[in-house]
Amino acid sequence: MALSTASLGLVAAMAIPAAAADDGPARQQLMADCASGEGKCSFNEPVLGKAYLGDFRQVSNSLYNCSTSDATQSMTWSDTVGSTDTAGVSVTAGGKIAGLIDLSVTATYSHTWSSSHTEGSSLNMTVKPGEVGWISRAQVMQTVSGTWQTHYDSPKWGHYYWYVPDTVTGPAPNGTDGQSNAVTVKTRKMTDAEKASCSSGAQHGRAFVKKR
């Protein structure tokens, strides 16, 4: 009887994904059960997407040049890039969800998967008069798609098994699929408000750093 019930639950879950079932759990509830261990979960049949270079984002403080000559300064930068799932929810590094994905990817592709990557360094930056500059970085990113299988010891929402398709986007090792991380200095003209701040006694005729 238990085997029969489990089979029925499996068929029902496959026919109607958990996230779409009117009488089933919310997707977030299933993922919470996976994270807590209440549900015995696995990330099945992972498929890695082609790596791509993510968007550039500011990773340093900003250097404002209120002087009349170029301003050069050494700026430190740091960047931590995490992973998010289909719903935009963060996949926490070191958490059970991240561990299950890594286990599945390692078994399928024979290399590890990381939900987070941190990097930092310093760079000399030159900013022209009346401009503001900062350091931006872009991380190589990659998707991994698969299906979460959640198994309960006792039926929940009428079934022993629930299936949830998911795609997680996270950082990939530098050089994956020929893509490389990028760090660059970016500059722009100051706004009128920023130019006005240059006229203050403390900042007139000098370059100053403003925290991001």
Side-chain angles (χ1 to χ4, degrees), residues 99-188:
L100 290 171
I101 297 175
D102 182 34
L103 183 67
S104 182
V105 170
T106 300
T108 303
Y109 294 94
S110 299
H111 66 75
T112 58
W113 176 87
S114 176
S115 62
S116 179
H117 176 76
T118 299
E119 194 170 318
S121 187
S122 61
L123 187 66
N124 284 334
M125 180 166 63
T126 299
V127 178
K128 292 188 175 299
E131 294 189 350
V132 54
W134 64 95
I135 299 170
S136 285
R137 179 178 181 274
Q139 169 71 39
V140 176
M141 304 292 287
Q142 191 171 30
T143 60
V144 53
S145 300
T147 301
W148 290 104
Q149 175 183 306
T150 306
H151 171 223
Y152 295 101
D153 291 333
S154 299
K156 290 193 68 173
W157 304 284
H159 304 301
Y160 283 90
Y161 290 88
W162 288 93
Y163 290 81
V164 180
D166 198 9
T167 297
V168 176
T169 302
N174 192 36
T176 302
D177 294 335
Q179 298 292 325
S180 299
N181 298 329
V183 178
T184 185
V185 172
K186 294 193 175 184
T187 61
R188 62 170 174 79

Side-chain angles (χ1 to χ4, degrees), residues 27 31 43-50 52 83-91 97 101 113 142-148 164-170:
R27 181 182 181 282
M31 298 308 296
F43 189 71
N44 299 335
E45 300 180 348
V47 177
L48 289 174
K50 189 173 181 61
Y52 63 94
S83 301
T84 54
D85 68 2
T86 302
V89 177
S90 175
V91 178
I97 296 298
I101 297 175
W113 176 87
Q142 191 171 30
T143 60
V144 53
S145 300
T147 301
W148 290 104
V164 180
D166 198 9
T167 297
V168 176
T169 302

Side-chain angles (χ1 to χ4, degrees), residues 4-134:
S4 176
T5 304
S7 299
L8 289 173
L10 174 63
V11 173
M14 291 179 65
I16 305 177
D22 294 336
D23 59 345
R27 181 182 181 282
Q28 291 83 349
Q29 180 61 58
L30 287 173
M31 298 308 296
D33 287 352
C34 286
S36 68
E38 181 178 350
K40 297 179 177 63
C41 298
S42 60
F43 189 71
N44 299 335
E45 300 180 348
V47 177
L48 289 174
K50 189 173 181 61
Y52 63 94
L53 189 62
D55 295 333
F56 278 92
R57 61 178 185 169
Q58 184 172 347
V59 293
S60 74
N61 295 330
S62 298
L63 177 62
Y64 291 78
N65 188 359
C66 299
S67 71
T68 56
S69 58
D70 290 355
T72 300
Q73 186 164 326
S74 178
M75 302 285 286
T76 60
W77 61 268
S78 63
D79 188 25
T80 297
V81 181
S83 301
T84 54
D85 68 2
T86 302
V89 177
S90 175
V91 178
T92 306
K96 185 160 187 174
I97 296 298
L100 290 171
I101 297 175
D102 182 34
L103 183 67
S104 182
V105 170
T106 300
T108 303
Y109 294 94
S110 299
H111 66 75
T112 58
W113 176 87
S114 176
S115 62
S116 179
H117 176 76
T118 299
E119 194 170 318
S121 187
S122 61
L123 187 66
N124 284 334
M125 180 166 63
T126 299
V127 178
K128 292 188 175 299
E131 294 189 350
V132 54
W134 64 95

